Amino acid sequence: MMENVHLAPETDEDDLYSGYNDYNPTYDTEELENDTAFQQAVKTSHGRRPPSKTSLASSMGRPMTGAIQDGVTRPMTAVRAAGFTKAALRGSAFDPLGQSRGPAPPLEARNEDSPEEKIRQLEKKVNELVEESCIANSCGDLKLALEKAKDAGRKERVLVRQREQVTSPENINLDLTYSVLFNLASQYSANEMYPEALNTYQVIVKNKMFSNAGRLKVNMGNIYLKQRNYSKAIKFYRMALDQIPSVHKEMRIKIMQNIGVTFIQTGQYSDAINSFEHIMRMAPNLKAGFNLILSYFAVGDREKMKKAFQKLIAVPLETDEDGKYISPNDDPHTNLVIEAIKNDHLRQMERERKAMAEKYIMTAAKLIAPVIETSFAVGYDWCVEVVKASQYVELANDLEINKAIMYLRQKDFNQAVETLKMFEKKDSSVKSAAATNLSFLYYLENEFSQASSYADLAVNSDRYNPSALTNKGNTVFANGDYEKAAEFYKEALRNDSSCTEALYNIGLTYKKLNRLDEALDCFLKLHAILRNSAQVLYQIANIYELMEDPSQAMEWLMQLISVVPTDSRALSKLGGLYDSEGDKSQAFQYYYESYRYFPSNIEVIEWLGAYYIDTQFCEKAIQYFERASLIQPTQVKWQLMVASCFRRSGNYQKALDTYKDIHRKFPENVECLRFLVRLCTDIGLKEVQEYATKLKRLEKMKEIREQRTKSGRDGSGGPRGRRDGSAGSDGGQNCGAGSRGERLSAQLRALPRTEEPYDSSSNKELDASYVDPLGPQIERPRTAARKRVDEDDFADEELGDDLLPE
C-alpha cells in the first residue's frame, strides 16, 4: 500500500505541482500524423494484424484516469473537451462530422447482364402482362385478354427455368405461378374455350404446392354447368364444399346455392328443396328464397309455397332508410352532404337491391297466386295481406294492379275495371297508374269519352306520368285533333325521353298532318332505340314511299323482311314497288314469296295470274285463278279467267265445259253466254241455238233496264240490278271494260291473234262485253281503304301500345 505513495523531493520544496504533466510517450497521439512508421503501418497490412501479446497494452486504448501503468499513475488532467486539440491551434477547422471530406463516391453501377437482374426484369414483365390481361377483360376485349394471358404464361415458364438454373427450386415464386395460371383459366372460360379452361384449372388443383387450390373446383363446376353437364357440376361443387372449412360460411352458402340451381336444372326438385331450405335456415337471402318457391311450385305443394313466400318476405333488405337523404334543417353544410350522397354508388346499389327484392316478390306472387287457393283472386288477396304486413307494404298496390291485369288476360274486362276503380281514392301515384290502365282499356273498347275522362284523371294525379300523357294524346288523336295530340306526346317525351310509345305516336301524328320530314325524323330516332322493330321499319319505308322515293322505300322494306322474313304483306308491298319500277323478275320473286306464306291474298293471286298470261304461260295462270275462285266463289270473273286460260292454251273442250259450268252457276251472265255461242258455233254443237236464244233474251232485258235507268224509273230494276251485279251479269261491273280483274293491261283490249280460232269473229262484239287477258296487269293506284289496311297490318292504329304493366 505504501508503494503508491510518492514523497516530494527535498531538493525542490517550492515546486509543489511538478510531475503532473508528465505522461507515457506511448499515448502521445498528437504527433501520430508526423510519425512515419505509424503512417506506413496504417497503409499496409501490418496495421490490420491482430495485436500480439507484447502490444496488447498499447492496443487497449486510453487507460482509465488514475490507473497505474509501468509504475506511473495517470495524471488527472484530461479536461479537454471533445474535438479540441492542439491541432486546432495550428489552423485546422472544427469538423467533428467529417464534412470536409467531400461528397460520397457514386454507387456502383448495376450489372444488367447478371442472371439475378434478368430474372427480376422478367418477373416484372410477367406481372405487367397479367395486369394488362385483367384490364382488357374488364374493358370487354376478351380476345386481347386471352392473348395477354397466354403471353404471361409463356414468359412465366421461361422465368421458372432460369430460376432453376440460378437458385434452388424452393426459391421459385409460387404466388406468381398461381396468378398466371388462374388468370389464364379465367380468360379461357370468358372466351368460352371450356376444355382449355378445365385443363388449366386441373393443373392448379393437382399441384399440392398451391394452398387452398381446392376452391377453384367451384369454377370448374360452373364451367360444367354452362356445358349442361349437370352431374359433373354437382360433383365438383360438392368437392369444393368439402375442402372449404366451416368458418367460411358465406362461401359455403354460395356453393350450396349453386348446387340447388343445378338440381333445378336436372328436375331433381326434392334435392333442390333440401339445399335451399338449408340456406334459408343458415343465411336467408332473396335468390335462395325465390328458388325455394319455384321448387315448391314445381312439386305443387301449396302450403310450402305459402311458407316459402313468407320467408322470402321476411328476408332483411339490409339497406338504410330513405329518411337520411332528406335534410332535417336548413343547414347549408348538411344540405351539401346530402346532395353529394343522394346519388352516389352506395345509393345506387341500395336502389338496385330494393328493385331486385321487389321483382322477386312480385314475380313469386304472380306465380303462386293462381294455385295456392281455389281461384287466383283469392290467392292474390292472400299475397296482398302478407305483403301489407311486411316491410314491402308499398308493393300491395302493385299486386292489386296485377290482379286487374290477370282479369284482362282471362277476358274478364268488367272485373278488371272494377278492380282498377278501387284505386280512385288512393294516393296520387297509385291513382295515376290505375287511371292510366282504365283509360287504355276504354280506348281499346272504342269508348273514347270514358278513355278521355280517365286519361284526364291520370294526368291530374301525376302530371309527369308519360303513359298517362300518351293515353290522353291517343284519345285526342281518335277525335281527329292531331295538333293537340302532338302536344301531349311532346310533353310525355319531355318527362321521359325513353317513352317509345309517345315517340311512335307523334310520328303517326306528323304523318297524318302530312309533315313527312318531321315524321321521318321521329321514326329514325325510334329506329336508333328499337333496332329490330318491324313496325318502325315499315313506317319508315311507307314515308319514303309517300315522299316518292321508291329506292329508299325498297331498301327499308328489305331491312323489314330481314327482321320478319315471313310477312306476306311486306313481301307483296316490295313486289309492288319493283313492279312500279319495271323490274318484273324481282317483282315476281317477292309476289311469289308472299303467295307462298299467305296464299289467300286476292291482289297477289291476281298479279301472279296476269304475270303468267303476259309471259304466255296460261297453263300456270290457271291454278291461281282457280284459287281465287275458291276464295271468292260468288265472283264470276275468276271462273271466266280460268275458262279464258283454257281457251288460250288450246284446250277448247275444257274451256267449253268450264263455260257451261259457269252458266249453270250464273245463268244471267251475258259474257259466258256469248262465249258459249262462239264456241258451240265453231265446234258445231247443237246447243248453239239454245244459248243464242238465252243471249238475246238477256240482251233485251239489259236494254230495258238501261232505258229505265235513263228515264229515272229504276224502282223495279234495283233488286234485279243488284242480283245481276252479284252474279256477274253486268259486263261493265264485273267483266267489261271497267273490270279490274279482266282488263289487266292496255293489251287486254287487243284482238285475238291470227293463229287462234276466232279470226273471223267480230272484234267489236268481243270488246263490247269481254276482254281477254293478253297482257300484263295495269298499274292500279292503291285506294285509301287499301292503304289503311296496309297500315293496320303494321299497327298504324295501335296507339299507346305496351302501356299496361307487365
Side-chain angles (χ1 to χ4, degrees):
M1 183 175 180
M2 292 298 294
E3 60 184 2
N4 294 326
V5 178
H6 300 276
L7 298 177
E10 297 178 353
T11 58
D12 192 3
E13 295 180 357
D14 296 330
D15 191 7
L16 297 177
Y17 297 98
S18 62
Y20 281 99
N21 289 329
D22 295 335
Y23 57 92
N24 195 325
T26 306
Y27 299 107
D28 188 8
T29 59
E30 296 178 359
E31 297 298 326
L32 289 178
E33 294 179 0
N34 301 323
D35 191 344
T36 306
F38 179 78
Q39 294 295 332
Q40 184 65 28
V42 170
K43 294 179 180 179
T44 62
S45 61
H46 180 77
R48 292 191 293 271
R49 292 179 181 177
S52 61
K53 293 182 179 180
T54 57
S55 61
L56 183 60
S58 64
S59 64
M60 292 177 65
R62 180 178 177 178
M64 296 175 59
T65 303
I68 301 174
Q69 188 174 6
D70 296 334
V72 180
T73 304
R74 184 189 183 283
M76 299 181 183
T77 56
V79 293
R80 290 174 294 177
F84 289 93
T85 61
K86 290 181 179 180
L89 301 176
R90 295 193 292 268
S92 61
F94 176 71
D95 188 15
L97 300 179
Q99 297 179 0
S100 61
R101 290 176 292 180
L107 298 175
E108 185 179 355
R110 179 181 297 175
N111 187 7
E112 296 182 357
D113 294 334
S114 63
E116 292 81 2
E117 184 63 25
K118 290 182 178 179
I119 290 174
R120 193 180 302 110
Q121 293 296 328
L122 188 57
E123 185 174 338
K124 181 180 179 183
K125 181 63 177 176
V126 171
N127 279 312
E128 290 176 354
L129 287 172
V130 172
E131 292 178 1
E132 291 173 2
S133 175
C134 296
I135 292 172
N137 182 280
S138 64
C139 294
D141 194 348
L142 302 180
K143 187 176 181 181
L144 178 61
L146 180 59
E147 291 298 326
K148 295 287 185 181
K150 289 181 179 179
D151 196 11
R154 288 191 292 267
K155 284 184 169 52
E156 194 274 334
R157 288 191 292 272
V158 174
L159 174 62
V160 170
R161 287 195 295 269
Q162 291 186 2
R163 280 189 178 276
E164 290 175 350
Q165 294 174 2
V166 176
T167 61
S168 56
E170 57 269 13
N171 292 330
I172 296 176
N173 192 346
L174 291 177
D175 293 337
L176 181 62
T177 304
Y178 181 88
S179 63
V180 169
L181 290 174
F182 179 62
N183 179 63
L184 180 60
S186 300
Q187 302 308 331
Y188 275 134
S189 178
N191 284 272
E192 298 184 356
M193 301 172 66
Y194 298 130
E196 292 83 354
L198 290 172
N199 293 335
T200 309
Y201 279 126
Q202 285 286 359
V203 171
I204 302 175
V205 171
K206 290 182 178 180
N207 194 333
K208 302 299 181 182
M209 300 179 68
F210 296 139
S211 60
N212 299 325
R215 298 184 179 185
L216 296 182
K217 291 183 179 178
V218 177
N219 294 14
M220 301 176 71
N222 292 339
I223 292 176
Y224 282 120
L225 184 63
K226 291 177 182 177
Q227 293 180 328
R228 299 188 178 184
N229 192 345
Y230 302 119
S231 59
K232 279 197 173 183
I234 294 173
K235 174 184 175 182
F236 275 88
Y237 285 144
R238 286 177 170 170
M239 291 169 64
L241 193 63
D242 294 338
Q243 296 184 12
I244 294 177
S246 58
V247 294
H248 298 157
K249 181 189 292 186
E250 186 176 356
M251 176 68 75
R252 292 178 63 85
I253 289 297
K254 290 181 179 179
I255 297 175
M256 287 289 294
Q257 191 158 323
N258 285 6
I259 292 174
V261 170
T262 310
F263 277 131
I264 289 180
Q265 295 285 345
T266 58
Q268 299 173 267
Y269 299 112
S270 58
D271 294 328
I273 289 171
N274 293 332
S275 298
F276 293 127
E277 283 183 342
H278 173 76
I279 295 172
M280 294 301 289
R281 285 195 303 269
M282 302 301 296
N285 61 77
L286 294 169
K287 290 184 180 180
F290 181 72
N291 288 330
L292 182 60
I293 293 175
L294 290 181
S295 302
Y296 283 134
F297 179 81
V299 299
D301 195 333
R302 295 184 177 183
E303 294 301 322
K304 292 290 183 66
M305 275 188 271
K306 290 183 177 181
K307 293 180 180 179
F309 185 76
Q310 292 172 338
K311 290 180 181 179
L312 178 64
I313 290 288
V315 173
L317 196 56
E318 298 179 359
T319 58
D320 294 336
E321 68 282 356
D322 294 336
K324 72 177 183 179
Y325 299 104
I326 301 175
S327 177
N329 49 40
D330 295 333
D331 183 13
H333 179 70
T334 305
N335 293 337
L336 287 175
V337 172
I338 292 175
E339 192 67 27
I341 67 173
K342 188 178 292 184
N343 198 34
D344 60 354
H345 292 293
L346 180 60
R347 177 61 173 161
Q348 292 175 6
M349 186 186 71
E350 290 177 348
R351 286 201 200 99
E352 291 174 0
R353 182 172 180 81
K354 186 176 181 181
M356 182 182 69
E358 292 176 354
K359 178 182 178 182
Y360 282 142
I361 292 170
M362 293 293 294
T363 306
K366 289 190 289 186
L367 179 69
I368 68 173
V371 297
I372 57 175
E373 297 292 345
T374 55
S375 66
F376 84 91
V378 180
Y380 264 105
D381 292 338
W382 181 87
C383 293
V384 168
E385 293 301 322
V386 173
V387 170
K388 284 182 178 179
S390 69
Q391 58 183 328
Y392 305 99
V393 63
E394 67 274 5
L395 293 181
N397 294 324
D398 294 337
L399 282 175
E400 290 283 359
I401 293 179
N402 278 316
K403 180 181 176 182
I405 295 174
M406 185 64 70
Y407 279 123
L408 288 178
R409 291 176 178 172
Q410 295 186 355
K411 309 299 183 183
D412 193 347
F413 296 102
N414 294 328
Q415 286 291 339
V417 171
E418 292 298 324
T419 305
L420 291 171
K421 284 183 177 180
M422 295 168 53
F423 293 94
E424 293 185 8
K425 298 181 180 180
K426 298 283 185 178
D427 57 3
S428 59
S429 61
V430 179
K431 184 194 299 185
S432 178
T436 299
N437 287 283
L438 283 170
S439 173
F440 184 64
L441 284 175
Y442 284 120
Y443 180 83
L444 293 179
E445 294 178 351
N446 293 328
E447 297 182 16
F448 298 124
S449 60
Q450 289 282 354
S452 180
S453 63
Y454 278 104
D456 290 333
L457 177 61
V459 172
N460 294 331
S461 301
D462 185 4
R463 188 70 187 185
Y464 299 99
N465 186 350
S467 299
L469 291 167
T470 302
N471 276 356
K472 180 59 180 176
N474 293 345
T475 58
V476 176
F477 184 97
N479 293 327
D481 192 350
Y482 303 125
E483 292 286 353
K484 190 175 181 180
E487 292 301 322
F488 281 107
Y489 297 141
K490 288 178 182 179
E491 186 175 355
L493 286 174
R494 284 194 296 269
N495 294 334
D496 183 7
S497 60
S498 63
C499 184
T500 56
E501 295 85 4
L503 187 57
Y504 183 87
N505 291 349
I506 198 173
L508 293 181
T509 307
Y510 286 143
K511 187 177 171 184
K512 289 287 186 181
L513 294 171
N514 202 26
R515 293 155 63 176
L516 299 180
D517 291 331
E518 296 176 66
L520 183 61
D521 289 339
C522 292
F523 287 118
L524 288 176
K525 289 178 183 177
L526 196 58
H527 176 64
I529 301 172
L530 307 173
R531 301 296 299 180
N532 294 323
S533 173
Q535 295 180 355
V536 176
L537 291 171
Y538 169 77
Q539 293 295 342
I540 295 174
N542 184 247
I543 290 174
Y544 274 120
E545 184 181 5
L546 295 176
M547 296 171 69
E548 297 181 356
D549 190 349
S551 61
Q552 285 290 334
M554 287 188 286
E555 181 179 345
W556 285 96
L557 281 174
M558 291 292 292
Q559 293 187 39
L560 172 61
I561 291 172
S562 67
V563 175
V564 280
T566 60
D567 192 288
S568 63
R569 189 70 66 184
L571 290 166
S572 65
K573 198 167 190 65
L574 187 57
L577 287 173
Y578 275 111
D579 188 22
S580 64
E581 292 293 307
D583 192 346
K584 296 293 183 182
S585 60
Q586 285 289 338
F588 171 76
Q589 176 184 349
Y590 289 111
Y591 272 122
Y592 181 77
E593 287 295 314
S594 175
Y595 173 79
R596 192 163 65 89
Y597 290 118
F598 184 62
S600 299
N601 190 329
I602 290 296
E603 290 190 359
V604 174
I605 293 172
E606 186 177 2
W607 190 94
L608 289 171
Y611 174 80
Y612 281 118
I613 290 176
D614 183 46
T615 55
Q616 304 298 323
F617 290 100
C618 297
E619 299 87 351
K620 292 186 177 181
I622 292 174
Q623 59 175 333
Y624 296 104
F625 293 129
E626 286 179 343
R627 177 170 290 276
S629 65
L630 291 175
I631 297 171
Q632 295 180 346
T634 59
Q635 295 291 330
V636 68
K637 63 179 180 180
W638 305 120
Q639 300 182 42
L640 289 173
M641 297 291 288
V642 172
S644 176
C645 290
F646 280 126
R647 182 174 56 80
R648 294 296 171 186
S649 61
N651 194 345
Y652 303 117
Q653 185 61 43
K654 190 69 176 176
L656 180 61
D657 295 338
T658 305
Y659 280 125
K660 287 181 179 180
D661 185 60
I662 295 171
H663 179 64
R664 284 194 298 271
K665 294 178 181 179
F666 305 97
E668 297 182 355
N669 187 272
V670 177
E671 288 75 20
C672 180
L673 284 172
R674 286 176 178 168
F675 280 100
L676 281 173
V677 171
R678 292 292 179 186
L679 281 173
C680 292
T681 302
D682 291 343
I683 298 175
L685 296 178
K686 297 180 180 180
E687 295 93 337
V688 62
Q689 189 61 37
E690 178 185 354
Y691 292 133
T693 304
K694 292 181 179 180
L695 178 60
K696 289 180 181 179
R697 185 173 65 251
L698 287 176
E699 288 177 345
K700 185 65 175 178
M701 293 174 61
K702 182 179 179 181
E703 291 177 1
I704 295 173
R705 192 182 304 117
E706 290 176 353
Q707 290 177 0
R708 288 178 179 178
T709 303
K710 290 179 181 179
S711 61
R713 297 190 304 272
D714 53 348
S716 61
R720 179 65 176 271
R722 285 194 298 270
R723 184 170 63 254
D724 291 343
S726 62
S729 62
D730 188 355
Q733 179 179 353
N734 289 320
C735 299
S739 173
R740 185 175 64 182
E742 293 292 342
R743 193 178 62 182
L744 298 175
S745 70
Q747 296 181 4
L748 294 181
R749 290 186 176 274
L751 300 177
R753 298 189 177 183
T754 55
E755 66 271 19
E756 297 187 3
Y758 294 104
D759 295 339
S760 59
S761 302
S762 174
N763 298 332
K764 292 183 179 180
E765 290 182 4
L766 289 177
D767 284 340
S769 59
Y770 183 78
V771 183
D772 274 330
L774 298 179
Q777 183 179 7
I778 63 172
E779 299 296 334
R780 296 189 306 275
R782 292 183 180 274
T783 62
R786 175 63 212 152
K787 188 178 295 181
R788 184 167 60 253
V789 170
D790 287 343
E791 293 170 354
D792 285 344
D793 291 337
F794 288 90
D796 193 322
E797 302 296 330
E798 292 181 5
L799 300 176
D801 195 13
D802 294 332
L803 294 180
L804 289 174
E806 290 295 333

